[in-house]
């Protein structure tokens, strides 16, 4: 049965469907200009390398089967591959264009990636590549790409000083912070950030800040952004602004196409989601949306599925022995099945090794008064009489969770993620806690390596939300590593 639908937008604000697409008209043409210039440079560089290396007579690339392809033809094949590498290095994303060094770093990184791929493919398939061709084409092309990007950036800056090619910015926060931000923008016109509106804690309908109208309070940000057609919201410090307000604003902006730049004093996100704005005198950082889908999520799911399949294969003898021990210790099925709520509120059946007597659920109400988790929705009891002798041992070493590897194989759970909640718990969730359901629940997570059952409800929620907002493959690897030590420490396991 499908669970509740998660709402990301605040009902008091404009609905998601009514939000405008905030890409400025000039952005598409500028990206197309970059693409065309890059293509011309790449083709010219590869053809130049062919001419300098071979002159007018070229035998071509020789494959292991004995056939060959001319380097002129290879140059035309190399062009889309090079452009693809540039796109993968994010050199066509507007947030990296026009300011800072990330655009240039991306060009160099893409060229090195391409060179590495060519070397590996040539070695693996025994392709006789002329090293001189690659040694000329890639370095020359990279230098020309950097020069072209520099020239186009200067043209962009000149246009911005004349009021063109600008992003429309809505500044929010205390009046002093907004005024200081507006003053910085006036002195750094090449950034292309035009202040078109302001939201203050106590707005005055007739007021302006350095010529920009005050459009509302801090609770009317999305409405104000739609009114002034802003594509960027800048959050400054001041009265009424704190981490909680900022976090809810970031949730509301998910999927809206509006960029968020924030004074770092207000941030509570991991470094993987923040990008410093490379502007002299401007301490703001760009905040990416949580990565709830996409290639890295697919990679995470694939790696975890392979890990779970291998673990099930290796641990099958241990699991069978534990099933026999549970059945011998107490009557009833050794496998415990329970309905839990997964990603996007979808219910599924979780599998665990049974650690309680079969009538444990019917005894729960009689033990409610002894609940040690009075601050939340969970039931915790250090000396729970419903736990069997074998069950206590299984819980101490977290062996009861081994069958959840099957849930990973079925796609219901992940190795790392928030704790899988009960439907009764989800029914009491508010919007904030409900964000735990934006990703698949995990066998282990930050809650597991940070105290397990000893954690309060509030602390468990905070850790789960932090993971949802800031997950990464590196963080997953760290959690798995720490889980091993958490199990051996046996702290909070009951």
């Amino acid at each position: 049965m499908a669970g509740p639908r998660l709402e990301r937008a605040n009902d008091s604000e404009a609905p998601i469907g009514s939000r405008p697409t905030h890409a400025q008209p000039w952005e598409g043409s500028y990206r197309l200009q970059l693409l065309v210039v890059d293509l011309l440079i790449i083709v010219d560089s590869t053809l130049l390398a062919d001419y300098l290396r071979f002159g007018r007579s070229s035998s071509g690339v020789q494959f292991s089967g004995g056939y060959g392809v001319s380097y002129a033809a290879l140059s035309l094949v190399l062009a889309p591959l090079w452009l693809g590498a540039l796109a993968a290095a994010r050199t066509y994303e507007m947030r990296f264009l026009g300011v800072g060094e990330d655009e240039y770093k991306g060009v160099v990184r893409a060229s090195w990636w391409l060179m590495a791929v060519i070397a590996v493919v040539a070695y693996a398939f025994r392709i006789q590549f002329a090293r001189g061709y690659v040694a000329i084409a890639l370095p020359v092309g990279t230098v020309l790409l950097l020069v072209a990007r520099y020239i186009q950036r200067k043209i962009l800056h000149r246009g911005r000083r004349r009021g063109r090619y600008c992003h429309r910015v809505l500044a929010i926060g205390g009046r002093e912070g907004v005024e200081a931000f507006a003053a910085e923008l006036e002195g750094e016109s090449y950034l292309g950030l035009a202040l078109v509106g302001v939201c203050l804690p106590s707005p005055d309908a007739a007021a302006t800040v350095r010529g920009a109208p005050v459009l509302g309070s801090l609770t009317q940000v999305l409405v104000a952004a739609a009114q002034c057609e802003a594509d960027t919201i800048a959050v400054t410090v001041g009265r009424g602004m704190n981490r909680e307000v900022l976090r809810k604003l970031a949730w509301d902006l998910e999927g809206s196409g509006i960029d968020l730049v924030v004074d770092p004093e207000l941030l509570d996100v991991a470094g993987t989601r923040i990008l410093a704005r490379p502007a002299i005198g401007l301490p703001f950082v760009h905040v990416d949306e949580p990565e709830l889908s996409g290639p890295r999520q697919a990679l995470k799911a694939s790696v975890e599925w392979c890990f779970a399949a291998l673990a099930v294969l290796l641990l099958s003898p241990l699991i069978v022995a534990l099933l026999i021990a549970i059945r011998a210790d107490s009557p009833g099925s050794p496998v415990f099945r329970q309905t839990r709520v997964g990603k996007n509120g979808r219910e599924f059946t979780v599998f665990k090794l049974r650690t309680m007597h079969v009538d444990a659920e019917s005894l729960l109400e009689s033990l409610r008064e002894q609940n040690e988790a009075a601050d939340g929705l969970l039931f915790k009891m250090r000396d729970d009489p419903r736990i069997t002798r074998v069950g206590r041992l299984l819980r101490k070493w977290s062996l009861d969770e081994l069958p959840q590897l099957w849930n990973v194989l079925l796609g219901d759970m992940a190795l790392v993620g928030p704790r899988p909640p009960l439907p009764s718990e989800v029914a009491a969730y508010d919007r904030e806690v409900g964000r735990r359901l934006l990703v698949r629940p995990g066998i282990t997570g930050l809650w597991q390596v940070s105290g397990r059952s000893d954690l309060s409800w509030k602390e468990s929620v905070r850790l789960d939300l932090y993971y949802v907002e800031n997950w990464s493959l590196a963080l997953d690897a760290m959690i798995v590593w720490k889980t091993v030590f958490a199990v051996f420490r046996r702290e909070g396991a009951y």
Side-chain angles (χ1 to χ4, degrees), residues 461-482:
V461 169
R462 187 189 70 81
L463 291 173
D464 279 346
L465 291 181
Y466 180 88
Y467 178 82
V468 171
E469 303 283 347
N470 304 294
W471 84 272
S472 67
L473 297 175
L475 179 61
D476 281 3
M478 182 272 291
I479 291 173
V480 171
W481 176 256
K482 286 191 173 183

Side-chain angles (χ1 to χ4, degrees), residues 233-291:
I233 293 179
V235 183
T236 68
V237 295
R239 182 170 60 89
M241 286 305 308
N242 53 51
R243 292 180 179 179
E244 293 298 322
V245 173
L246 173 61
R247 183 167 60 176
K248 292 178 181 179
L249 174 61
W251 296 347
D252 288 336
L253 292 179
E254 289 177 13
S256 68
I258 300 178
D259 281 342
L260 183 65
V261 292
V262 186
D263 189 303
E265 292 184 23
L266 295 169
L267 284 178
D268 189 22
V269 296
T272 54
R273 285 183 56 209
I274 61 176
L275 170 69
R277 283 284 192 185
I280 299 174
L282 285 177
F284 285 79
V285 295
H286 183 279
V287 181
D288 278 340
E289 291 184 7
E291 195 169 357

Side-chain angles (χ1 to χ4, degrees), residues 27 45 70 208 214 310 330 371 382 405:
E27 293 181 10
S45 299
S70 70
T208 61
V214 176
L310 180 62
S330 62
N371 185 10
R382 191 173 297 273
L405 292 169

Side-chain angles (χ1 to χ4, degrees), residues 37 41 104 107 140-154:
V37 172
I41 289 175
Y104 301 132
V107 171
V140 170
T142 301
V143 171
L144 292 178
L145 286 172
L146 292 173
V147 172
R149 292 291 180 120
Y150 176 80
I151 294 173
Q152 292 173 97
R153 175 178 291 195
K154 292 305 177 184

